Amino acid sequence: MHAGMNKTSTPRNPHKWGCITTRRNKDGQPTSLRASYQPPAGRRIYRDFPTRTQAETWLEGERRRVEAAEAGLIEWRSPTERLKPTVPTFAEWMERTFEHQSVSRSGRPLAPATMRKKRLARDRLVAHFGGKRLDRITQRDVRDWLKAPGFTGPEPLRIAYCTLRAALAEAANPPDGGRPLIERNPCVMPIPPKPVSKAVRIPPATPAQLAAIRAAMPARLALAIDLMAGLALRPGEACALTIGDLDLDALVCHVRHSPRRAADDRGELMLGDTKNRTSSTDMPIPAGMAGAIRDHIRRFCPDSGPDAMLFQPPQSKILNPTRLGYEFGRAAAKAGRPDLVPHMLRVTAITESVNQGASPKDVQRFGRHATAAVSLEHYQRAHDATRQRQLADDVYGELMGGAETPAMLERRLRDKLAEARRLAAEIDRLNRRLTHVRRHEQR
């Protein structure tokens, strides 16, 4: 009871169910009406109201709840407990929040193929945790599920765990600032690492192998080899090029699209967004490639308007990257490199940029990577391989110099020249930086 406040000793105008009393201040003036009743269990429940109509309405609603609880129709919960958010089951929570995971961190809608994988992960998670309330899912539950999830490979497991962690993170820290449904996210285990890419284990293609693959490709698709190897394009980006994307006068390739399907990842291919924002950019077309592009358009593009596709398959509007991969696989096998996949041409291009002395920042721009970490991984792998080759040749040359061949010496010379170019570029960058710092200090 508030200080200086009191209530009448006997109920004024007793109610049919519960009662309503008048609360007064120390001067005896009415201040509010207090409605109260005895619940099925526990202490008497009180609630203050400014008017009698509000008090009677509240009592009537509580009476109905009590009668329903006594009849076994509902579980009795006090008004205070009712103020607390009802914790949904995992299945209910996923139904309410899953679409929040349909956009990337940058706000771009995820590709239909990505969403299809996430929906499959959601269905598997609901099958396992579905009937369990969110606040009953423990760290042990998550750990046990991670040990034996029944997935066919590491990538589906990774996607499922990321989906689970994101859903429970939203329950623990609602983005709208609402009251948390759980105290903490039980997904405290680290995210399973990404599967090691095949590109890590596959050697890049050599110039001679690229020429052999290009020669073995169907003529209408041979230009795709130039684009993937020369501009470091992803296979889908090459398939999605329109004639208008290629400005042959300015020697610029506008990379803007990748093939996508409808929201359910079904139906005909259409032009969608690139993999990430940094993928959508302008790439310089090598002068030596312009002639090959013009020849391709002249021979294989009956529709040569700016909106026409660069690769015009006979039975669809957009060349399917899967079809490109099939033709590439046959050509690579004929060229003696059955281990190659189309994406390896992009890796080959990025590796060669490192060999040409590109800095990590240059590699990131050339490869259009979303983060510097991805570029550094490519840079370090190519640089380490080059360095290991140089060390092996140097050691062998010093210890077994008489066995060196002209080809070995030429390769060592090329490697040293490439290293010298890289060092010269680094020295030039440091000199410019030093000049800038000195000018700043003088100010």
Side-chain angles (χ1 to χ4, degrees):
M1 186 179 299
H2 299 290
M5 305 287 288
N6 58 64
K7 66 175 184 178
T8 56
S9 57
T10 58
R12 182 185 176 197
N13 189 18
H15 200 265
K16 292 182 180 180
W17 185 86
C19 66
I20 300 176
T21 60
T22 302
R23 289 172 59 79
R24 302 177 183 276
N25 60 20
K26 61 182 179 180
D27 297 326
Q29 298 298 319
T31 58
S32 64
L33 296 173
R34 170 164 289 184
S36 65
Y37 67 93
Q38 180 62 44
R43 298 181 179 181
R44 194 172 185 84
I45 294 174
Y46 301 87
R47 179 70 62 82
D48 292 343
F49 298 92
T51 68
R52 179 168 296 277
T53 299
Q54 291 175 333
E56 291 176 348
T57 301
W58 180 75
L59 275 177
E60 178 62 18
E62 293 301 295
R63 179 185 66 79
R64 292 175 180 174
R65 286 181 179 275
V66 169
E67 290 176 351
E70 291 175 342
L73 301 177
I74 64 171
E75 179 183 358
W76 169 251
R77 299 176 71 226
S78 70
T80 301
E81 291 175 327
R82 276 178 250 146
L83 291 175
K84 299 178 181 179
T86 302
V87 180
T89 65
F90 181 80
E92 293 170 339
W93 183 244
M94 290 300 288
E95 185 175 354
R96 287 160 52 182
T97 65
F98 179 72
E99 291 306 316
H100 298 176
Q101 299 191 37
S102 63
V103 296
S104 65
R105 293 179 181 178
S106 62
R108 285 160 53 104
L110 296 178
T114 301
M115 284 306 301
R116 175 176 53 80
K117 295 175 183 178
K118 290 179 73 70
R119 289 191 184 96
L120 179 59
R122 174 201 60 188
D123 294 343
R124 288 173 168 173
L125 289 168
V126 169
H128 186 87
F129 295 105
K132 205 163 192 174
R133 272 178 29 183
L134 294 181
D135 57 347
R136 303 287 173 82
I137 299 176
T138 65
Q139 292 182 19
R140 174 172 289 184
D141 293 332
V142 176
R143 187 178 295 109
D144 291 344
W145 169 79
L146 276 173
K147 290 180 179 177
F151 291 104
T152 56
E155 182 63 13
L157 171 61
R158 175 185 168 83
I159 295 173
Y161 182 65
C162 289
T163 303
L164 174 65
R165 196 169 81 152
L168 296 181
E170 188 169 343
N173 187 22
D176 60 359
R179 185 177 299 178
L181 297 175
I182 57 178
E183 291 185 7
R184 62 181 63 87
N185 189 342
C187 295
V188 298
M189 287 65 72
I191 296 176
K194 287 186 177 181
V196 178
S197 172
K198 292 181 179 179
V200 175
R201 301 186 295 268
I202 301 176
T206 66
Q209 291 166 349
L210 288 174
I213 293 172
R214 192 186 195 285
M217 288 285 288
R220 62 184 179 85
L221 299 180
L223 182 64
I225 305 302
D226 300 65
L227 295 168
M228 290 187 290
L231 304 184
L233 295 188
R234 298 176 177 89
E237 293 169 345
C239 292
L241 285 175
T242 66
I243 294 177
D245 289 332
L246 300 164
D247 186 342
L248 297 181
D249 294 328
L251 293 180
V252 173
C253 174
H254 305 292
V255 184
R256 296 291 184 267
H257 301 103
S258 282
R260 295 283 188 270
R261 297 190 187 275
D264 57 356
D265 197 30
R266 296 179 180 178
E268 292 186 358
L269 289 173
M270 61 186 71
L271 295 182
D273 291 334
T274 53
K275 182 178 181 180
N276 49 57
R277 291 190 186 277
T278 57
S279 297
S280 182
T281 188
D282 294 338
M283 295 291 292
I285 297 175
M289 190 189 297
I293 295 174
R294 288 192 175 93
D295 182 63
H296 172 89
I297 295 174
R298 179 180 56 81
R299 295 176 59 193
F300 304 110
C301 298
D303 182 359
S304 58
D307 295 330
M309 303 306 300
L310 181 63
F311 297 101
Q312 300 179 9
Q315 298 179 347
S316 61
K317 179 182 177 182
I318 299 175
L319 175 63
N320 194 321
T322 302
R323 183 65 190 181
L324 176 62
Y326 171 77
E327 298 293 354
F328 178 89
R330 296 179 61 184
K334 292 179 181 178
R337 287 299 305 271
D339 56 327
L340 288 178
V341 294
H343 190 77
M344 271 304 301
L345 298 196
R346 171 174 163 81
V347 176
T348 297
I350 294 172
T351 300
E352 184 57 27
S353 73
V354 177
N355 295 336
Q356 292 296 328
S359 68
K361 190 65 176 178
D362 292 334
V363 172
Q364 183 177 1
R365 290 174 180 170
F366 182 67
R368 297 168 293 119
H369 296 129
T371 63
V374 177
S375 296
L376 283 174
E377 181 181 352
H378 281 279
Y379 180 88
Q380 196 64 45
R381 184 164 61 245
H383 187 267
D384 287 350
T386 301
R387 183 58 181 153
Q388 290 298 315
R389 169 59 61 188
Q390 291 173 349
L391 287 174
D393 286 346
D394 289 345
V395 170
Y396 183 76
E398 289 298 324
L399 298 180
M400 307 289 290
E404 286 185 308
T405 64
M408 293 172 59
L409 289 171
E410 289 175 359
R411 184 176 61 203
R412 291 179 61 191
L413 180 59
R414 287 197 305 270
D415 292 343
K416 292 298 183 182
L417 289 173
E419 183 180 7
R421 287 193 297 268
R422 181 182 63 80
L423 291 174
E426 182 69 10
I427 291 171
D428 183 58
R429 186 188 69 81
L430 290 174
N431 279 328
R432 291 197 304 269
R433 181 63 180 167
L434 179 60
T435 301
H436 174 77
V437 171
R438 284 175 173 169
R439 288 177 180 174
H440 181 74
E441 290 179 346
Q442 291 172 359
R443 293 175 185 175

